[in-house]
Amino acid sequence: CASAMLGLSCLALASAVVEAKAWFGATPPKVDHTFHRRGWTSCALCGGAERLGATVEVGNLRELDAAGASTLLDAVRAHGVIVVKGQNLTRAQQVEFTAALGETVVLPSSFEGKDPEPFHPAIQRITNFWANGTWKGPTARFGAYWHQDGQFWQPPRHNILSILHAQETPPSGGETGFADLRAARHTLSAPLLARAANASIRTSVRQIADFAKGDEEDLAAFPDAEHPVLDAHWMDGGPLLYVGSPHMEVVGLETAEAGKALLTMLLMHATSPAFTYFHAWDVGDVLVWDNTQTLHHSFPYDNDGSAKRELYRTQARMRPAATKEEL
């Protein structure tokens, strides 16, 4: 083995290569975490992501201290998506927990649509029942396509964590899928890297279907945003793809059609089985994910009005990056 000439055993070199691949440019976490996996014979939707979906043990989130918040933030930076099991937060407690992770994001009230959470503007209801307890009907669905949240914010305000807490879940189905944009960038072929090098996505808050009925004054407060497709993580500088969603405009190539074709290829690559994790929900789960390094997608369930799928989402804007030495 040639590495022996450098004082390394072949086994040590192979282990180092595997370790580097597993993190795909992310600085490894300070604490090792187990992965939340149901096993190939138990999952209805199965993915092969190497990094996503770590279970983090920090106790009761209602009693989270600064050290616990630091552990969570380090874990989500390294793993992209983390799971905290067995929680039961009120809406106010979820907002308090969110503030421990960063700057709580509150969108204009006109963006909230017809189902705001009473008294809590930072909360978004992800549920098949209205706040008054009536069923929304069989076609109620939210986020059923691969996308990143926060792409309509200009840099660096697009560095958004999402927090989703399950209070009730259907008997089966209703998974949330995630795709690893660090792994997708790490494994992108040389021709696609070269093609994407000059490309950026451009997006407007006016293109977000959920905000379609926003007030003009609120919409005008959000200037168009542009993000390079080949980007770097704000906290550790690791390379990643930033693709937004299938609805983005891609600029920097010969034509709009060429940009759309590139985006389609990148999304197909990023959402392949090797890079995906599908979370099957249990009551009490709290998921935290980093939107800059993951895509997510809600999946269907039998929504006939007999069972609730009741989740609550908040968002936190990441605080300025630590130095790599501190990581």
Side-chain angles (χ1 to χ4, degrees):
C1 176
S3 63
M5 299 173 61
L6 302 176
L8 297 172
S9 70
C10 294
L11 182 59
L13 181 62
S15 297
V17 170
V18 170
E19 175 74 9
K21 181 183 177 185
W23 297 108
F24 300 109
T27 302
K30 297 175 183 177
V31 177
D32 290 335
H33 305 283
T34 60
F35 285 95
H36 185 269
R37 299 290 188 267
R38 293 179 182 262
W40 292 106
T41 59
S42 300
C43 55
L45 288 171
C46 303
E50 296 181 59
R51 198 176 58 90
L52 307 184
T55 301
V56 181
E57 304 282 350
V58 289
N60 190 335
L61 293 180
R62 290 175 290 184
E63 302 170 357
L64 186 73
D65 58 15
S70 179
T71 295
L72 287 170
L73 289 168
D74 182 60
V76 74
R77 177 201 52 75
H79 287 281
V81 185
I82 61 172
V83 187
V84 186
K85 305 290 290 184
Q87 304 297 314
N88 185 20
L89 303 178
T90 66
R91 306 295 82 74
Q93 288 166 343
Q94 182 170 342
V95 173
E96 183 179 359
F97 166 63
T98 301
L101 301 183
E103 174 196 345
T104 303
V105 175
V106 178
L107 292 172
S109 59
S110 71
F111 289 8
E112 290 303 310
K114 298 178 180 179
D115 193 27
E117 177 64 15
F119 312 114
H120 293 288
I123 295 274
Q124 185 163 33
R125 295 170 46 80
I126 312 296
T127 172
N128 58 337
F129 279 73
W130 299 104
N132 65 10
T134 59
W135 181 41
K136 291 181 178 179
T139 60
R141 56 193 303 180
F142 190 86
Y145 60 97
W146 290 110
H147 65 286
Q148 293 168 271
D149 289 341
Q151 77 275 14
F152 56 87
W153 293 98
Q154 292 186 328
R157 293 173 62 79
H158 71 301
N159 289 285
I160 300 288
L161 302 176
S162 291
I163 299 96
L164 195 56
H165 181 27
Q167 288 286 346
E168 293 193 56
T169 60
S172 62
E175 295 90 347
T176 302
F178 295 90
D180 189 343
L181 294 174
R182 293 200 200 237
R185 166 72 183 271
H186 187 86
T187 56
L188 200 62
S189 69
L192 281 175
L193 278 171
R195 185 70 169 151
N198 296 319
S200 296
I201 63 165
R202 181 182 294 160
T203 183
S204 167
V205 71
R206 299 172 188 275
Q207 298 169 340
I208 309 297
D210 298 326
F211 306 156
K213 295 185 179 180
D215 294 343
E216 178 57 33
E217 183 179 357
D218 292 335
L219 292 168
F222 290 82
D224 290 357
E226 193 167 310
H227 308 279
V229 169
L230 302 184
D231 208 349
H233 194 270
W234 201 42
M235 300 298 289
D236 60 21
L240 52 81
L241 288 180
Y242 198 93
V243 290
S245 79
H247 311 125
M248 300 294 98
E249 176 188 5
V250 177
V251 297
L253 299 184
E254 303 85 359
T255 63
E257 292 73 19
K260 182 62 72 174
L262 174 64
L263 181 61
T264 299
M265 287 187 283
L266 295 178
L267 284 165
M268 289 178 63
H269 172 67
T271 58
S272 69
F275 307 138
T276 51
Y277 163 70
F278 297 92
H279 186 76
W281 290 91
D282 292 321
V283 171
D285 284 354
V286 173
L287 257 64
V288 184
W289 70 88
D290 178 349
N291 284 286
T292 61
Q293 57 174 308
T294 60
L295 294 161
H296 61 283
H297 184 314
S298 68
F299 283 86
Y301 58 99
D302 187 8
N303 180 23
D304 61 3
S306 63
K308 277 189 176 182
R309 185 178 187 266
E310 183 182 349
L311 294 86
Y312 295 92
R313 193 199 74 181
T314 46
Q315 293 184 323
R317 182 168 287 112
M318 295 182 225
R319 296 189 177 98
T323 65
K324 288 202 75 173
E325 288 72 22
E326 291 174 312
L327 295 174

